Amino acid sequence: MTVADEVNPANPETESEEPIKQRKNGLYPGVSDELAENMKSGWADTELRDLKPVEQAEHTARRRAALSARFPGERLVIPAGNLKTRSNDTEYSFRSSVEYAYLTGNQTEDGVLVLEPTADGHTETIYLLPRSDRENGEFWLSGQGELWVGRRHSLTESEALYVIPAADVRELADTLREATGPVRVVRGYDADIEAALTDKVTAERDEELRVILSEARLVKDEFEVGELQKAVDSTVRGFEDVVKVLDKAEATSERYIEGTFFLRARVEGNDVGYGTIAAAGPHACTLHWVRNDGPVRSGDLLLLDAGVETHTLYTADVTRTLPVSGTFSEIQKKIYDAVYEAQEAGIAAVRPGAKYRDFHDAAQHVLAERLVEWGVVEGPVERVLELGLQRRWTLHGTGHMLGMDVHDCAAARVETYVDGTLEPGVVLTVEPGLYFQADDLTVPEEYRGIGVRIEDDILVTEDGNRNLSAALPRQSDEVEAWMASLKG
């Protein structure tokens, strides 16, 4: 069955309701009075009672309280976002805005969290779409009705789940148009909500709200660390899945690798956290190779950069560079071991009190040393690093914050992120790489077309760090033994 033939019910709508759109080429011209009446009745009571709050409810309450304290006397509006059209009448799978999900635990489209200022803080309301209306036929006539896309929670159910008073979001725009006093909104997710506030907000004030919400996620609480570990554990199993079917990938393409990992992500999580990079051979030298349509050949390396996203939207971000045959060649091992050594130096620099930049500097120093040693670039190493000459072959930074976004906390101020200091609860990636492009005439021919990256997800602890993805081997000989055990 295709998307609903949307037609107008026989009974006229009230003035406050939008007409239910009729598909231009629908097969039914309308609905008889008899059918409309029939569809209103004979349905069991499906209200869910005795619901328990979602696991993160106590954490989201604490986050909202901190946000309230940061902006006293101001109305704060945080939308989830809307469905986006993929083509004609089909939509992309919905993913809530991080800001909204972080503060509520809810992930449904069109939701909006509003904090209304009071004398001693804020009152909280989560605005949502209620259950589909059975009186006007929306539940079976609308393309977004429950018989087409599935049941949604009632407002009462939502209050129980998220421990926030709930109201009908369809009334919110009108309410906001009448609002007085200072208002801030997280922009870029809901055009209708922004339009309702257009004369009440400023870009500068709204950006400050976005920055504060980004910085709030720099240090993860125990719930978030647990979710990230779940994401990593599923990702490890996804990598194992890939190794077991490399022969099938050789018979097809990189797409087989992408699809294999995606199956694990959808079975154990919500989705992949970002577009999987399944880059074989010289494609490994393209940092964000997501076409995944190239050949997989024995004798080449496979750079697999992938992460499972949990049902609460926390994602892993792990990379391994694997010999398709199961064994590194001499030159592949030489380059791989240099990257491994750089990653070891980077991970060792991750500890509380260290500068955020320290792990990057440590890893880059090792890579620059190897490039000078191999005669790829003229030393001394200090000159190479000062001028950034190693970047021709290292290309990217050595890591980033990780959380509900794969590049988490991206809107944070430079002084609190890149120029900041690590503290317990920070989770970041350490991912040095060397990439010798296939057409790079400045390197020996045997290097060309080889790309290596090793990436792990690192939690800053009270006394150092913990590698959340340590279950995946990293040393070259251990990688070969691990692959042999999975294939054997």
Side-chain angles (χ1 to χ4, degrees), residues 70-337:
R70 180 63 180 77
F71 294 105
E74 301 187 53
R75 180 178 283 101
L76 308 176
V77 182
I78 301 95
N82 316 121
L83 288 172
K84 294 190 184 333
T85 299
R86 181 179 185 273
S87 179
N88 189 26
D89 58 357
T90 61
E91 291 86 20
Y92 288 103
S93 296
F94 179 74
R95 189 186 189 277
S96 167
S97 76
V98 165
E99 294 87 350
Y100 174 85
Y102 178 75
L103 292 169
T104 66
N106 178 259
Q107 296 178 36
T108 56
E109 65 267 21
D110 301 326
V112 184
L113 172 69
V114 178
L115 302 186
E116 296 278 354
T118 64
D120 57 355
H122 289 82
T123 59
E124 307 168 343
T125 307
I126 186 170
Y127 288 86
L128 301 164
L129 285 172
R131 293 285 307 277
S132 289
D133 192 336
R134 297 193 180 227
E135 282 301 308
N136 73 356
E138 178 216 347
F139 79 108
W140 70 287
L141 293 171
S142 168
Q144 293 302 317
E146 291 184 4
L147 291 193
W148 289 99
V149 299
R151 184 188 189 277
R152 53 183 178 250
H153 286 297
S154 70
L155 298 181
T156 300
E157 291 169 353
S158 295
E159 288 184 352
L161 288 169
Y162 307 110
V163 198
I164 311 171
D168 190 337
V169 72
R170 294 172 297 186
E171 302 168 0
L172 180 58
D174 288 340
T175 300
L176 292 177
R177 288 187 189 95
E178 303 302 319
T180 58
V183 184
R184 297 178 192 253
V185 63
V186 178
R187 299 191 181 197
Y189 298 117
D190 194 317
D192 289 342
I193 293 300
E194 289 180 36
L197 293 169
T198 187
D199 60 340
K200 309 175 193 302
V201 295
T202 67
E204 293 76 16
R205 288 161 53 81
D206 292 347
E207 177 62 14
E208 185 181 9
L209 173 60
R210 190 171 77 102
V211 167
I212 292 300
L213 286 171
S214 194
E215 293 183 356
R217 304 199 307 276
L218 285 168
V219 176
K220 271 60 181 178
D221 58 38
E222 63 271 24
F223 173 81
E224 294 180 288
V225 172
E227 289 301 293
L228 284 166
Q229 187 66 69
K230 286 181 189 175
V232 168
D233 292 345
S234 290
T235 298
V236 169
R237 290 187 282 273
F239 274 69
E240 292 172 346
D241 295 340
V242 166
V243 171
K244 292 174 182 177
V245 300
L246 279 178
D247 58 333
K248 294 183 173 63
E250 287 187 66
T252 52
S253 76
E254 296 162 338
R255 292 280 170 93
Y256 203 96
I257 293 166
E258 177 187 352
T260 298
F261 187 86
F262 180 70
L263 177 62
R264 178 67 65 173
R266 286 292 281 166
V267 168
E268 295 193 1
N270 177 58
D271 206 331
V272 290
Y274 53 94
T276 296
I277 298 168
H283 288 162
C285 298
T286 301
L287 296 185
H288 289 165
W289 177 260
V290 292
R291 299 179 201 172
N292 300 336
D293 58 0
V296 179
R297 299 187 180 98
S298 184
D300 283 346
L301 295 177
L302 165 68
L303 190 157
L304 178 59
D305 185 336
V308 172
E309 177 185 80
T310 66
H311 294 291
T312 56
L313 306 186
Y314 289 85
T315 184
D317 182 9
V318 177
T319 305
R320 289 295 183 270
T321 305
L322 310 172
V324 175
S325 67
T327 305
F328 291 100
S329 70
E330 184 178 347
I331 186 63
Q332 289 169 350
K333 186 176 186 299
K334 172 183 174 180
I335 295 170
Y336 184 95
D337 287 350

Side-chain angles (χ1 to χ4, degrees), residues 372-451:
V372 171
E373 176 187 315
W374 298 340
V376 172
V377 64
E378 182 181 350
V381 170
E382 288 68 24
R383 167 184 169 272
V384 172
L385 292 169
E386 181 181 356
L387 299 176
L389 301 179
Q390 84 285 359
R391 293 180 61 185
R392 179 179 177 117
W393 305 280
T394 66
L395 294 177
H396 54 79
T398 309
H400 52 79
M401 296 293 185
L402 184 68
M404 297 181 82
D405 280 324
V406 65
H407 296 138
D408 207 30
C409 313
R413 291 168 294 172
V414 171
E415 56 266 33
T416 61
Y417 189 154
V418 174
D419 290 339
T421 300
L422 299 179
E423 57 183 296
V426 167
V427 180
L428 51 83
T429 68
V430 179
E431 51 175 309
L434 281 174
Y435 311 91
F436 298 105
Q437 305 298 326
D439 58 351
D440 188 348
L441 302 181
T442 70
V443 300
E445 186 174 357
E446 62 181 350
Y447 287 36
R448 297 173 197 167
I450 295 178

Side-chain angles (χ1 to χ4, degrees), residues 440-478:
D440 188 348
L441 302 181
T442 70
V443 300
E445 186 174 357
E446 62 181 350
Y447 287 36
R448 297 173 197 167
I450 295 178
V452 174
R453 179 164 66 252
I454 311 171
E455 177 181 21
D456 285 270
D457 302 341
I458 310 298
L459 167 68
V460 182
T461 62
E462 294 289 344
D463 57 357
N465 69 65
R466 175 158 61 93
N467 185 348
L468 302 179
S469 45
L472 275 181
R474 292 186 295 126
Q475 286 184 275
S476 54
D477 58 343
E478 292 178 352

Side-chain angles (χ1 to χ4, degrees), residues 49-68:
R49 297 171 177 84
D50 301 320
L51 288 173
K52 304 298 183 186
V54 295
E55 187 179 357
Q56 65 266 46
E58 63 178 285
H59 301 287
T60 57
R62 185 175 64 250
R63 297 164 191 167
R64 294 192 303 273
L67 185 64
S68 172

